[in-house]
Amino acid sequence: MTVWQVVLLAGIAVLALKIAGYLVPPAVLEKPRISRTSDLLTVALLAALVAVQTLGQGQAVVVDARLPAVVLAAILFALRAPFIVALVAAALCAALLRAAGLAV
Amino acid sequence: MSPTDSAAWRAALSVALPVAAYGISFGALSVASGLDVWQTSVLSLLMFSGGSQFALIGVLAGGGTGGAAIAGAALLGARNSFYAMRMASVVGRRPIWRTLVAAHLTIDESTAVAISQPPGRAQRIGFWVTGAAIFIGWNATTLAGALLGDLLGDPRAYGLDAAAAAAFVGLLWPRLHARQPIAVAVAAAVVATALTPALPTGLPVLAAAAVAVVVGLTDWLGRREP
C-alpha cells in the first residue's frame, strides 16, 4: 500500500465515522455500555501509543532519552501546563540529553 | 451580543488557539515520519482529528503496515461518532450540507466547548466557532510545521520523537479522571509494551484496545450507581 493510499483511506474512514454519528438514531447513545466502551477504547489506544512511542523501536523495547522526556511532559501536564509548552519541554529534554551524551 | 453568547465565543477561542498552535508539532512530526508536505496537509484537511493523525504517522514511522495505520486511526476516530450523536441535537440534521460540514468539524474540542455552554444558541456558537477556528488554525500550522520540519533534518537530534510520545500523554491526561480509565490506561500500556517484540509494528496498539472492550462491556472497576 502506498503512503497516499493509507492517507486517503484512513482520512475517509475517520470522516465517515463522524458522518455515521449524525445518521444513527439518538437511542443508541443512551446505552451506557456502548458509550463507556467507546470512552475506554480511546483511553486504551492513547495509553498504548504512549508506551510504544516512548519505549518501542521497531520491534525492540529500548529505554533512551524519550523516557525522561515523557516523564517531564507528564509532570507538566499534571501541573496544567499548555500542550505546546509540555511538548517543547519534552523535545528539549531529549535533545539536551542526547547532545550531552547522557542518553541515546 | 448576550452575555452567554460572548461567553461561548470566549470559551471557543481560548480552546481553539492553543490547539491550533500544536498543529506545528503535527506537521513537523509527520514529515519526520516520512510523509511529504502534501500528504501531511491532506491528513489535516481530510482526517482532521489530532489523535487519529498522530496515530497514523506513529505507526508508519515505526515501520508498521498501511493496514495497521488505517486501523489505528479509525479506532481512535470511533469516539467522534459518539460526539456526532451528541452534537446532532445541537446543530440539527438538516440541511444536509450543513450537517456534513458539522460532521467534519466534530472533534474533541468543538464537542467539549459546545456541551459546556447553556443549551440553545450558546451551544451552537461554541460548536461552530471552536470547530471553524481549529480547522483554519490547525491546517495553517500543519503546513508551517511540515515546511519547517523539512528544513530541520534528523528529528531525533531535536527530540521530536520524544515530543510525539508526549503528544499522546497530553491527549490521554484529561481522560484519567476515575479509577476505571486509569486502570485501563496502565493495562493497555503494559499489554502494548509486552507484545511489541512479538507482533508486527502497529498491532500491539490494536491488541491493547481489547483491554478497553473487556473492561467496558463488563464494567469492571466501574462506578456503582447509587
Side-chain angles (χ1 to χ4, degrees), chain A residues 3-4 10 15 17-18 21-22 24 34 36-38 40-44 47 49 51 53-54 59 70 77 87 91 95 98, chain B residues 25 39 47-48 56 58 74 79 81-82 84-85 87 93 103-104 106 156-158 161 170 181 185 188 193 197 199 212 216 219:
Chain A
V3 174
W4 267 120
L15 179 56
L17 283 164
K18 293 175 176 175
Y22 283 87
V24 298
I34 292 185
R36 179 177 62 232
T37 304
S38 158
L40 292 176
L41 190 63
T42 303
V43 167
L49 284 162
Q53 296 273 320
T54 305
Q59 276 183 263
V70 167
F77 284 122
L87 252 57
R98 282 172 183 149
Chain B
S25 49
Q39 289 159 344
M47 186 176 282
F48 188 53
L56 185 134
R79 70 186 188 287
S81 298
F82 291 86
M85 289 182 218
M87 288 299 102
R93 289 184 161 86
H104 199 39
T106 301
R156 284 171 49 85
Y158 302 92
D161 52 341
T193 307
L199 295 179
D219 202 16

Side-chain angles (χ1 to χ4, degrees), chain A residues 20-34:
Chain A
Y22 283 87
L23 301 178
V24 298
V28 177
L29 188 59
E30 307 303 321
K31 293 199 171 70
R33 182 179 282 193
I34 292 185

Side-chain angles (χ1 to χ4, degrees), chain B:
Chain B
M1 205 188 291
S2 77
T4 53
D5 285 7
S6 46
W9 272 91
R10 264 199 314 278
L13 293 177
S14 60
V15 167
L17 291 179
V19 171
Y22 89 82
I24 292 265
S25 49
F26 173 74
L29 290 167
S30 181
V31 293
S33 307
L35 279 71
D36 65 26
V37 173
W38 289 106
Q39 289 159 344
T40 300
S41 293
V42 167
L43 266 186
S44 280
L45 283 166
L46 177 64
M47 186 176 282
F48 188 53
S49 192
S52 296
Q53 292 179 226
F54 277 111
L56 185 134
I57 63 169
V59 172
L60 290 183
T65 64
I70 294 170
L75 278 174
L76 260 177
R79 70 186 188 287
N80 292 327
S81 298
F82 291 86
Y83 298 157
M85 289 182 218
R86 181 71 184 74
M87 288 299 102
S89 63
V90 173
V91 301
R93 289 184 161 86
R94 293 282 185 278
I96 194 77
W97 63 266
R98 196 182 61 193
T99 308
L100 284 176
V101 176
H104 199 39
L105 299 182
T106 301
I107 52 172
D108 291 329
E109 293 82 7
S110 54
T111 306
V113 172
I115 60 180
S116 55
Q117 307 305 312
R121 203 177 135 79
Q123 288 199 340
R124 287 195 295 278
I125 292 173
F127 176 83
W128 286 108
V129 174
T130 309
I134 293 181
F135 187 79
I136 295 166
W138 178 254
N139 281 292
T141 55
T142 292
L143 181 59
L147 294 171
L148 198 68
D150 250 357
L151 299 175
L152 284 176
D154 178 19
R156 284 171 49 85
Y158 302 92
L160 280 183
D161 52 341
F168 289 114
V169 178
L171 295 170
L172 175 64
W173 204 265
R175 297 173 178 277
L176 301 180
H177 47 70
R179 198 170 51 163
Q180 192 176 44
I182 292 170
V184 166
V186 172
V190 170
V191 166
T193 307
L195 291 178
T196 292
L199 295 179
T201 305
L203 294 188
V205 170
L206 302 183
V211 174
V213 175
V214 170
V215 176
L217 293 180
T218 59
D219 202 16
W220 188 60
L221 287 177
R223 275 194 214 112
R224 297 284 172 267
E225 298 301 332

Side-chain angles (χ1 to χ4, degrees), chain A residues 53-54 64-73 86-104, chain B residues 155-166:
Chain A
Q53 296 273 320
T54 305
D64 60 18
R66 290 173 296 176
L67 186 60
V70 167
V71 170
L72 173 65
L87 252 57
V88 170
L92 274 178
C93 175
L96 290 175
L97 287 172
R98 282 172 183 149
L102 294 172
V104 287
Chain B
R156 284 171 49 85
Y158 302 92
L160 280 183
D161 52 341

